[in-house]
Amino acid sequence: MSDVSTGNGKVVVNRAMSLDGFIAGPGHRMDWGGGRPLADFVAPEDFAEVAAATGAMLIGRRTWDVGSRMEAEDPGSVDYPFSGPFFLLTHRPPEPPGADVTVLSGDIGKAVATALDAAGGKNLEILGADVAAQCLWRGLVDEILVYVLPVLLGDGIPFSSPGLTRVDLEPISSARSGDATILRFRVRK
Ligand SMILES: NC(=O)c1ccc[n+]([C@@H]2O[C@H](COP(=O)([O-])OP(=O)(O)OC[C@H]3O[C@@H](n4cnc5c(N)ncnc54)[C@H](OP(=O)(O)O)[C@@H]3O)[C@@H](O)[C@H]2O)c1
């Protein structure tokens, strides 16, 4: 349980990752093979279960920009069965910010507390390598959920950002889900 949480929700870093540890390829491209979106690799019931447990998302600006670009290039490619509030961390608020989007800036602990409150007792998903690293570094993350995808990308954006030091984890579960393997870990504090 997070030390900033007010309900039962957990702070969860949620990632799709190649077997060789990249969360995106060169140029931030999330191409996991065959032009298939992440939702196509994971069993629909598992994807829906994770989304249903999520009450809010805290998203870094670069992730936001990559998602917007992917949606523009290939509509529907980043669709996720989630309809709760989004919190965008940026020093450059987009115009217009978009429906259900609150722009936050500054202290990561306050941003996580704000977004977790809005999750209404469900989980807060953290999206973005830099944002996740800030949260891990500050001890704000309860769990890490990784969709391991069947590809070796060879190059790209690694799971850990530069500067993130050692984090010890406790395994919760591992399960095959469609063409993905879902790994869950508790963060030792
Ligand atoms: N595979 C997956 O599941 C998955 C999931 C999410 C993302 N990704 C990938 O991860 C990459 C993006 O991650 P990233 O590490 O490059 O960037 P990121 O964490 O998405 O965003 C970092 C940016 O957010 C803003 N920011 C962060 N902390 C802030 C704070 N405390 N206050 C104000 N603004 C703050 C800053 O942008 P400004 O200063 O410019 O505003 C910063 O440069 C992309 O390649 C994306 O495809 C993969």
Short mmCIF file of all heavy atoms in Angstrom, two decimals, residues 10 12-15 38 42-57 80-83 122-127 143-147 173 177 182-184:
data_model
loop_
_atom_site.label_atom_id
_atom_site.label_comp_id
_atom_site.label_asym_id
_atom_site.label_seq_id
_atom_site.Cartn_x
_atom_site.Cartn_y
_atom_site.Cartn_z
N LYS A 10 -3.82 1.15 -5.39
CA LYS A 10 -2.36 1.02 -5.41
C LYS A 10 -1.78 1.90 -6.52
O LYS A 10 -2.46 2.22 -7.49
CB LYS A 10 -1.97 -0.43 -5.67
CG LYS A 10 -2.30 -1.34 -4.51
CD LYS A 10 -2.07 -2.79 -4.85
CE LYS A 10 -3.19 -3.29 -5.73
NZ LYS A 10 -3.19 -4.74 -5.94
N VAL A 12 0.57 1.79 -9.49
CA VAL A 12 1.07 0.69 -10.31
C VAL A 12 1.78 1.24 -11.55
O VAL A 12 1.19 1.99 -12.33
CB VAL A 12 -0.09 -0.24 -10.77
CG1 VAL A 12 0.45 -1.40 -11.60
CG2 VAL A 12 -0.87 -0.76 -9.57
N VAL A 13 3.03 0.86 -11.72
CA VAL A 13 3.74 1.14 -12.98
C VAL A 13 3.36 0.02 -13.95
O VAL A 13 3.57 -1.16 -13.66
CB VAL A 13 5.26 1.18 -12.77
CG1 VAL A 13 6.01 1.17 -14.10
CG2 VAL A 13 5.65 2.41 -11.96
N ASN A 14 2.78 0.40 -15.07
CA ASN A 14 2.20 -0.56 -16.01
C ASN A 14 2.94 -0.42 -17.35
O ASN A 14 2.96 0.65 -17.94
CB ASN A 14 0.71 -0.20 -16.15
CG ASN A 14 -0.03 -1.13 -17.06
OD1 ASN A 14 0.50 -1.58 -18.06
ND2 ASN A 14 -1.28 -1.38 -16.75
N ARG A 15 3.57 -1.51 -17.79
CA ARG A 15 4.42 -1.43 -18.98
C ARG A 15 4.24 -2.62 -19.91
O ARG A 15 4.15 -3.77 -19.43
CB ARG A 15 5.90 -1.49 -18.59
CG ARG A 15 6.41 -0.33 -17.83
CD ARG A 15 6.53 0.86 -18.76
NE ARG A 15 6.88 2.02 -17.99
CZ ARG A 15 8.07 2.24 -17.46
NH1 ARG A 15 9.03 1.38 -17.64
NH2 ARG A 15 8.30 3.32 -16.78
N LEU A 38 -1.04 -3.47 -28.60
CA LEU A 38 -0.84 -4.26 -27.37
C LEU A 38 -2.08 -5.11 -27.06
O LEU A 38 -1.96 -6.29 -26.69
CB LEU A 38 -0.55 -3.30 -26.21
CG LEU A 38 -0.50 -3.94 -24.82
CD1 LEU A 38 0.64 -4.95 -24.73
CD2 LEU A 38 -0.36 -2.84 -23.75
N VAL A 42 -2.58 -9.41 -25.68
CA VAL A 42 -3.01 -9.81 -24.34
C VAL A 42 -4.42 -10.39 -24.41
O VAL A 42 -5.26 -9.91 -25.17
CB VAL A 42 -2.99 -8.57 -23.40
CG1 VAL A 42 -3.41 -8.95 -21.99
CG2 VAL A 42 -1.60 -7.94 -23.38
N ALA A 43 -4.70 -11.42 -23.60
CA ALA A 43 -6.05 -12.00 -23.57
C ALA A 43 -7.05 -10.90 -23.18
O ALA A 43 -6.81 -10.17 -22.21
CB ALA A 43 -6.10 -13.14 -22.57
N PRO A 44 -8.14 -10.77 -23.93
CA PRO A 44 -9.08 -9.66 -23.69
C PRO A 44 -9.56 -9.56 -22.24
O PRO A 44 -9.67 -8.46 -21.70
CB PRO A 44 -10.25 -9.96 -24.63
CG PRO A 44 -9.70 -10.87 -25.67
CD PRO A 44 -8.57 -11.62 -25.04
N GLU A 45 -9.80 -10.73 -21.61
CA GLU A 45 -10.32 -10.66 -20.23
C GLU A 45 -9.26 -10.12 -19.27
O GLU A 45 -9.59 -9.42 -18.30
CB GLU A 45 -10.84 -12.03 -19.78
CG GLU A 45 -9.84 -13.17 -19.72
CD GLU A 45 -9.63 -13.89 -21.06
OE1 GLU A 45 -10.01 -13.33 -22.11
OE2 GLU A 45 -9.08 -15.01 -21.04
N ASP A 46 -7.99 -10.41 -19.52
CA ASP A 46 -6.93 -9.88 -18.65
C ASP A 46 -6.78 -8.38 -18.84
O ASP A 46 -6.62 -7.62 -17.88
CB ASP A 46 -5.60 -10.59 -18.94
CG ASP A 46 -5.64 -12.05 -18.52
OD1 ASP A 46 -6.38 -12.37 -17.57
OD2 ASP A 46 -4.94 -12.87 -19.16
N PHE A 47 -6.82 -7.96 -20.11
CA PHE A 47 -6.70 -6.53 -20.43
C PHE A 47 -7.84 -5.77 -19.76
O PHE A 47 -7.64 -4.74 -19.13
CB PHE A 47 -6.75 -6.37 -21.95
CG PHE A 47 -5.93 -5.23 -22.46
CD1 PHE A 47 -4.58 -5.11 -22.13
CD2 PHE A 47 -6.50 -4.27 -23.28
CE1 PHE A 47 -3.82 -4.06 -22.62
CE2 PHE A 47 -5.75 -3.22 -23.77
CZ PHE A 47 -4.41 -3.12 -23.44
N ALA A 48 -9.06 -6.34 -19.87
CA ALA A 48 -10.24 -5.68 -19.30
C ALA A 48 -10.15 -5.65 -17.77
O ALA A 48 -10.55 -4.67 -17.14
CB ALA A 48 -11.51 -6.42 -19.74
N GLU A 49 -9.60 -6.71 -17.17
CA GLU A 49 -9.48 -6.77 -15.71
C GLU A 49 -8.53 -5.69 -15.19
O GLU A 49 -8.82 -5.01 -14.20
CB GLU A 49 -8.98 -8.16 -15.30
CG GLU A 49 -9.03 -8.39 -13.80
CD GLU A 49 -8.40 -9.73 -13.43
OE1 GLU A 49 -8.66 -10.73 -14.12
OE2 GLU A 49 -7.65 -9.76 -12.45
N VAL A 50 -7.40 -5.53 -15.86
CA VAL A 50 -6.44 -4.50 -15.44
C VAL A 50 -7.07 -3.12 -15.60
O VAL A 50 -6.97 -2.26 -14.70
CB VAL A 50 -5.13 -4.60 -16.27
CG1 VAL A 50 -4.21 -3.42 -15.94
CG2 VAL A 50 -4.41 -5.92 -15.99
N ALA A 51 -7.74 -2.90 -16.71
CA ALA A 51 -8.38 -1.59 -16.95
C ALA A 51 -9.46 -1.32 -15.91
O ALA A 51 -9.58 -0.19 -15.41
CB ALA A 51 -8.96 -1.53 -18.36
N ALA A 52 -10.23 -2.36 -15.56
CA ALA A 52 -11.33 -2.18 -14.60
C ALA A 52 -10.81 -1.85 -13.20
O ALA A 52 -11.49 -1.20 -12.41
CB ALA A 52 -12.20 -3.43 -14.55
N ALA A 53 -9.59 -2.32 -12.90
CA ALA A 53 -9.00 -2.05 -11.58
C ALA A 53 -8.36 -0.66 -11.53
O ALA A 53 -7.91 -0.22 -10.48
CB ALA A 53 -7.94 -3.11 -11.26
N THR A 54 -8.32 0.02 -12.67
CA THR A 54 -7.65 1.32 -12.77
C THR A 54 -8.66 2.45 -12.62
O THR A 54 -9.68 2.47 -13.31
CB THR A 54 -6.94 1.43 -14.13
OG1 THR A 54 -6.01 0.35 -14.24
CG2 THR A 54 -6.20 2.75 -14.26
N GLY A 55 -8.35 3.41 -11.72
CA GLY A 55 -9.25 4.53 -11.51
C GLY A 55 -8.75 5.84 -12.07
O GLY A 55 -9.51 6.78 -12.25
N ALA A 56 -7.45 5.92 -12.34
CA ALA A 56 -6.87 7.15 -12.91
C ALA A 56 -5.50 6.82 -13.49
O ALA A 56 -4.91 5.79 -13.17
CB ALA A 56 -6.73 8.23 -11.83
N MET A 57 -5.05 7.71 -14.37
CA MET A 57 -3.72 7.53 -14.98
C MET A 57 -2.90 8.80 -14.82
O MET A 57 -3.42 9.90 -15.04
CB MET A 57 -3.85 7.22 -16.47
CG MET A 57 -4.48 5.88 -16.74
SD MET A 57 -4.28 5.49 -18.49
CE MET A 57 -5.22 3.99 -18.54
N TYR A 80 -7.86 1.82 -25.12
CA TYR A 80 -7.75 1.12 -23.85
C TYR A 80 -9.13 1.20 -23.21
O TYR A 80 -9.73 2.28 -23.21
CB TYR A 80 -6.70 1.84 -23.00
CG TYR A 80 -6.22 1.10 -21.79
CD1 TYR A 80 -5.77 -0.21 -21.88
CD2 TYR A 80 -6.21 1.71 -20.54
CE1 TYR A 80 -5.33 -0.89 -20.75
CE2 TYR A 80 -5.76 1.05 -19.42
CZ TYR A 80 -5.33 -0.25 -19.53
OH TYR A 80 -4.89 -0.92 -18.42
N PRO A 81 -9.64 0.10 -22.68
CA PRO A 81 -11.01 0.13 -22.14
C PRO A 81 -11.08 0.84 -20.79
O PRO A 81 -11.47 0.26 -19.78
CB PRO A 81 -11.38 -1.35 -22.03
CG PRO A 81 -10.09 -2.06 -21.88
CD PRO A 81 -9.06 -1.25 -22.61
N PHE A 82 -10.71 2.12 -20.77
CA PHE A 82 -10.64 2.90 -19.54
C PHE A 82 -11.27 4.27 -19.80
O PHE A 82 -11.01 4.88 -20.84
CB PHE A 82 -9.17 3.06 -19.13
CG PHE A 82 -8.95 4.08 -18.06
CD1 PHE A 82 -9.21 3.76 -16.74
CD2 PHE A 82 -8.51 5.36 -18.36
CE1 PHE A 82 -9.03 4.70 -15.74
CE2 PHE A 82 -8.32 6.30 -17.37
CZ PHE A 82 -8.58 5.96 -16.06
N SER A 83 -12.06 4.76 -18.85
CA SER A 83 -12.74 6.03 -19.11
C SER A 83 -12.59 7.02 -17.94
O SER A 83 -13.34 7.97 -17.85
CB SER A 83 -14.23 5.79 -19.39
OG SER A 83 -14.79 5.10 -18.28
N LYS A 122 -9.58 2.93 -6.55
CA LYS A 122 -9.00 2.00 -7.53
C LYS A 122 -7.51 2.34 -7.70
O LYS A 122 -6.98 3.24 -7.05
CB LYS A 122 -9.72 2.12 -8.86
CG LYS A 122 -11.15 1.58 -8.84
CD LYS A 122 -11.71 1.59 -10.25
CE LYS A 122 -13.02 0.87 -10.33
NZ LYS A 122 -13.49 0.77 -11.73
N ASN A 123 -6.85 1.63 -8.62
CA ASN A 123 -5.42 1.84 -8.80
C ASN A 123 -5.11 3.07 -9.65
O ASN A 123 -5.89 3.47 -10.50
CB ASN A 123 -4.79 0.62 -9.49
CG ASN A 123 -4.87 -0.62 -8.63
OD1 ASN A 123 -5.08 -0.53 -7.42
ND2 ASN A 123 -4.70 -1.77 -9.24
N LEU A 124 -3.94 3.62 -9.39
CA LEU A 124 -3.40 4.68 -10.24
C LEU A 124 -2.33 4.07 -11.13
O LEU A 124 -1.36 3.50 -10.63
CB LEU A 124 -2.79 5.80 -9.38
CG LEU A 124 -2.00 6.86 -10.15
CD1 LEU A 124 -2.91 7.65 -11.09
CD2 LEU A 124 -1.28 7.79 -9.20
N GLU A 125 -2.49 4.18 -12.44
CA GLU A 125 -1.48 3.68 -13.38
C GLU A 125 -0.50 4.79 -13.70
O GLU A 125 -0.91 5.91 -14.02
CB GLU A 125 -2.14 3.20 -14.69
CG GLU A 125 -2.47 1.75 -14.68
CD GLU A 125 -2.92 1.24 -16.05
OE1 GLU A 125 -2.56 1.84 -17.09
OE2 GLU A 125 -3.62 0.23 -16.07
N ILE A 126 0.78 4.45 -13.67
CA ILE A 126 1.84 5.42 -13.99
C ILE A 126 2.37 5.07 -15.37
O ILE A 126 2.88 3.96 -15.59
CB ILE A 126 2.99 5.33 -12.96
CG1 ILE A 126 2.48 5.45 -11.52
CG2 ILE A 126 4.08 6.35 -13.27
CD1 ILE A 126 1.96 6.79 -11.13
N LEU A 127 2.29 6.02 -16.30
CA LEU A 127 2.76 5.76 -17.67
C LEU A 127 3.86 6.75 -18.05
O LEU A 127 3.67 7.97 -17.96
CB LEU A 127 1.60 5.88 -18.67
CG LEU A 127 0.44 4.88 -18.50
CD1 LEU A 127 -0.64 5.14 -19.52
CD2 LEU A 127 0.95 3.45 -18.63
N GLU A 143 3.30 -1.43 -6.99
CA GLU A 143 3.46 -2.62 -7.85
C GLU A 143 3.95 -2.24 -9.23
O GLU A 143 3.72 -1.13 -9.72
CB GLU A 143 2.11 -3.35 -7.99
CG GLU A 143 1.68 -4.07 -6.73
CD GLU A 143 0.37 -4.84 -6.88
OE1 GLU A 143 -0.08 -5.08 -8.03
OE2 GLU A 143 -0.20 -5.21 -5.84
N ILE A 144 4.57 -3.21 -9.86
CA ILE A 144 4.95 -3.11 -11.27
C ILE A 144 4.26 -4.24 -12.01
O ILE A 144 4.33 -5.40 -11.58
CB ILE A 144 6.48 -3.19 -11.45
CG1 ILE A 144 7.15 -2.00 -10.77
CG2 ILE A 144 6.85 -3.23 -12.94
CD1 ILE A 144 8.66 -2.03 -10.80
N LEU A 145 3.56 -3.89 -13.09
CA LEU A 145 2.90 -4.88 -13.93
C LEU A 145 3.52 -4.78 -15.32
O LEU A 145 3.53 -3.70 -15.93
CB LEU A 145 1.40 -4.60 -14.00
CG LEU A 145 0.51 -5.58 -14.76
CD1 LEU A 145 -0.93 -5.46 -14.27
CD2 LEU A 145 0.55 -5.37 -16.26
N VAL A 146 4.08 -5.89 -15.79
CA VAL A 146 4.74 -5.88 -17.10
C VAL A 146 4.08 -6.88 -18.03
O VAL A 146 3.91 -8.06 -17.68
CB VAL A 146 6.24 -6.23 -16.97
CG1 VAL A 146 6.92 -6.17 -18.33
CG2 VAL A 146 6.93 -5.29 -16.01
N TYR A 147 3.71 -6.42 -19.22
CA TYR A 147 3.30 -7.33 -20.28
C TYR A 147 4.56 -7.64 -21.08
O TYR A 147 5.04 -6.78 -21.84
CB TYR A 147 2.29 -6.68 -21.23
CG TYR A 147 1.01 -6.20 -20.57
CD1 TYR A 147 0.82 -4.85 -20.31
CD2 TYR A 147 -0.01 -7.08 -20.26
CE1 TYR A 147 -0.37 -4.39 -19.73
CE2 TYR A 147 -1.20 -6.63 -19.68
CZ TYR A 147 -1.36 -5.29 -19.42
OH TYR A 147 -2.53 -4.83 -18.84
N SER A 173 2.97 -12.59 -9.22
CA SER A 173 2.43 -13.61 -10.11
C SER A 173 3.07 -13.52 -11.48
O SER A 173 3.65 -12.48 -11.86
CB SER A 173 0.90 -13.46 -10.25
OG SER A 173 0.60 -12.22 -10.86
N SER A 177 -0.80 -14.86 -21.04
CA SER A 177 -2.06 -14.21 -21.40
C SER A 177 -2.04 -13.95 -22.89
O SER A 177 -1.35 -13.03 -23.36
CB SER A 177 -2.18 -12.89 -20.61
OG SER A 177 -3.32 -12.19 -21.03
N ILE A 182 2.19 -11.96 -18.42
CA ILE A 182 1.99 -10.86 -17.47
C ILE A 182 2.75 -11.16 -16.18
O ILE A 182 2.53 -12.18 -15.54
CB ILE A 182 0.49 -10.65 -17.14
CG1 ILE A 182 -0.29 -10.38 -18.43
CG2 ILE A 182 0.32 -9.51 -16.15
CD1 ILE A 182 -1.79 -10.15 -18.21
N LEU A 183 3.67 -10.26 -15.85
CA LEU A 183 4.46 -10.38 -14.61
C LEU A 183 4.04 -9.27 -13.66
O LEU A 183 3.92 -8.11 -14.07
CB LEU A 183 5.95 -10.23 -14.91
CG LEU A 183 6.57 -11.14 -15.98
CD1 LEU A 183 8.06 -10.82 -16.12
CD2 LEU A 183 6.37 -12.60 -15.62
N ARG A 184 3.82 -9.65 -12.42
CA ARG A 184 3.49 -8.64 -11.40
C ARG A 184 4.49 -8.73 -10.25
O ARG A 184 4.80 -9.84 -9.79
CB ARG A 184 2.09 -8.87 -10.83
CG ARG A 184 0.96 -8.62 -11.81
CD ARG A 184 -0.36 -9.02 -11.14
NE ARG A 184 -1.44 -9.10 -12.08
CZ ARG A 184 -2.41 -8.20 -12.20
NH1 ARG A 184 -2.41 -7.14 -11.42
NH2 ARG A 184 -3.35 -8.35 -13.08
#
